[in-house]
Amino acid sequence: MGRWPSPALLAIFVTIALAMNSIIPAAAHTGLKVGFYRHSCPQVEAIVYNSMAQSTKADDTVAPGILRMAFHDCFVRVRDRLDLQHPSQLDRVAELALRSTWISNSVFPSCLLLLQMLHTVTATSPHRIVPSLWFLQGCDASVLLEGPNTERRARTNTGLHGFDAIDAAKRAVENACPGVVSAADVLQFAARDAVVLAGGYGWHVPAGRRDGTVSIMEEALNLPAPSMTVSQLIDVFGRKGLSPSQMVVLSGAHTIGKAPCVTFDDRVQTTPVDPTLAPSFATFLKGQCPYAAIQSTSVDMDSTAHTFDSQYFKDIIAGRGLLTSDQSLLYDSRTSGGVYANNGAAFYRNFAKAMVKMSQIEVLTGLDGEIRRQFDQVNSH
């Protein structure tokens, strides 16, 4: 077959073999629907709910943890188009392949033809039409995968918790319906149930997701940060197909849970403190976090942090938003209306709609991906 023009070609093949359907044309998949498991596993949502009820009763940090986990799973980066003609991009794919979750030699023979095609294309004229790859990882449970270079190991995900709750829910589902329900769907059912169990409204979860087989640590680096400006937030959410108003309402997930002091150092460890903070709240935060870079102490995200309600928006209006990314929503004309619009019962309905939209980001369906037997491990075929 001749010598490869670049050693990275082999890695391209490995990447494709790892996640044949995690590297797909952008926006290629539809197929989610409410009641997807009506015949194959009709009790699945009740099983997940009951498991989550037990988990949240034992640990009141599970609900915000699962909600955050679902968000982080869906917000993994959409990698730009990679043109296989260019050595620099080939080497980039090689790096990604080496960081992938698993490598299976058993799939090599079935992709030999693809290797030959890649070799031919890259060895010929640059005027030929060249194949390209899109790396997509959305709501595919890639955040659940365990391993040294997976998303779970990214700095932005070090505080994620609730994995034991997803493990328990997935095991319960597997006991009832082995090999039928994906970990990605279990996570989305669990996120909905976390909201309900914390006092919020539920919603119908369109299901039919398949599980991804690739999880790469650096792909979790584009998650929204607590110090982001409104423009930065609008850009990040917009690249996922979410509007500014949907971004505002999804930020309302901060109505439950806590945040470590280090996430709002930029507001209180300055002289003077952030002037958008209510003076009494600034004094309270300084008392909780007397010096910079404290990670061991956490503060409630809003003043009713164990209840899923619209208090988050009331607190922002009162100058008691905890993070820069929270409080700044009030002072930008593109988002301030959303803060006031969700300051009440409308928040529950708006949040449910936005969660359904978010849960459909770059999903795998049909024959793509797989149905994991274990929530945090790719199947060994």
Side-chain angles (χ1 to χ4, degrees):
M1 193 162 63
R3 185 172 180 176
W4 296 103
S6 166
L9 281 172
L10 181 58
I12 294 173
F13 162 67
V14 171
T15 305
I16 295 171
L18 291 175
M20 188 68 74
N21 296 301
S22 292
I23 301 171
I24 55 178
H29 288 305
T30 56
L32 300 183
K33 66 178 183 179
V34 173
F36 182 85
Y37 299 107
R38 182 176 292 114
H39 301 295
S40 58
C41 191
Q43 67 274 46
V44 58
E45 295 189 52
I47 293 172
V48 174
Y49 180 86
N50 290 335
S51 180
M52 281 293 295
Q54 293 178 17
S55 294
T56 56
K57 183 178 181 179
D59 180 357
D60 63 6
T61 69
V62 165
I66 296 300
L67 194 54
R68 183 177 177 221
M69 190 185 301
F71 178 83
H72 283 214
D73 185 46
C74 293
F75 259 69
V76 174
R77 179 182 307 168
V78 182
R79 180 156 294 285
D80 291 339
R81 176 179 175 272
L82 292 175
D83 187 340
L84 302 185
Q85 182 70 32
H86 299 291
S88 62
Q89 295 200 16
L90 289 173
D91 291 338
R92 181 67 185 129
V93 179
E95 180 185 352
L96 293 176
L98 292 174
R99 296 185 182 188
S100 296
T101 306
W102 60 279
I103 297 177
S104 173
N105 291 326
S106 64
V107 297
F108 275 34
S110 64
C111 294
L112 182 59
L113 184 60
L114 178 59
L115 276 172
Q116 292 172 327
M117 180 273 290
L118 290 172
H119 169 63
T120 301
V121 167
T122 55
T124 54
S125 167
H127 299 294
R128 288 179 61 96
I129 295 175
V130 180
S132 60
L133 301 180
W134 290 85
F135 282 71
L136 301 186
Q137 287 176 273
C139 308
D140 67 349
S142 56
V143 74
L144 302 178
L145 286 173
E146 184 61 277
N149 296 307
T150 60
E151 293 167 37
R152 285 174 69 164
R153 303 304 168 207
R155 176 180 50 81
T156 50
N157 284 334
T158 53
L160 284 184
H161 63 282
F163 292 103
D164 288 347
I166 297 300
D167 185 21
K170 174 63 170 168
R171 287 177 184 274
V173 170
E174 283 295 303
N175 287 338
C177 311
V180 173
V181 182
S182 66
D185 278 343
V186 169
L187 178 56
Q188 292 303 321
F189 291 143
R192 183 265 316 274
D193 297 341
V195 170
V196 172
L197 289 162
Y201 292 4
W203 58 89
H204 295 297
V205 177
R209 295 166 193 80
R210 306 268 291 182
D211 296 322
T213 57
V214 172
S215 184
I216 302 170
M217 182 167 59
E218 74 162 18
E219 294 305 288
L221 298 181
N222 72 318
L223 289 162
S227 59
M228 277 188 172
T229 65
V230 169
S231 292
Q232 290 171 323
L233 291 170
I234 288 174
D235 178 61
V236 170
F237 279 77
R239 283 188 273 119
K240 291 295 184 179
L242 297 167
S243 68
S245 62
Q246 289 168 328
M247 180 269 287
V248 172
V249 73
L250 287 171
S251 297
H254 290 172
T255 188
I256 53 175
K258 296 176 178 286
C261 294
V262 69
T263 59
F264 50 89
D265 274 352
D266 60 319
R267 306 194 70 198
V268 297
Q269 303 303 333
T270 58
T271 304
V273 298
D274 185 341
T276 65
L277 283 168
S280 62
F281 190 50
T283 300
F284 167 76
L285 293 179
K286 288 286 284 186
Q288 295 295 305
C289 310
Y291 53 89
I294 298 175
Q295 300 194 44
S296 58
T297 301
S298 294
V299 175
D300 288 347
M301 295 289 281
D302 78 5
S303 52
T304 58
H306 297 285
T307 303
F308 193 93
D309 56 21
S310 60
Q311 187 63 42
Y312 166 82
F313 296 102
K314 293 179 173 66
D315 284 352
I316 289 176
I317 293 169
R320 297 176 62 89
L322 185 60
L323 308 178
T324 295
S325 59
D326 296 327
Q327 191 62 48
S328 60
L329 298 176
L330 184 65
Y331 301 111
D332 191 293
S333 61
R334 295 166 293 180
T335 53
S336 59
V339 172
Y340 289 102
N342 288 287
N343 178 28
F347 167 60
Y348 301 100
R349 296 187 296 273
N350 294 339
F351 187 81
K353 292 177 183 177
M355 283 295 291
V356 170
K357 179 69 179 292
M358 186 190 76
S359 74
Q360 297 173 327
I361 293 174
E362 290 129 24
V363 297
L364 303 176
T365 59
L367 297 178
D368 294 328
E370 65 179 13
I371 303 295
R372 286 182 211 151
R373 291 184 286 273
Q374 187 173 330
F375 89 108
D376 62 349
Q377 300 294 324
V378 172
N379 296 337
S380 55
H381 299 282

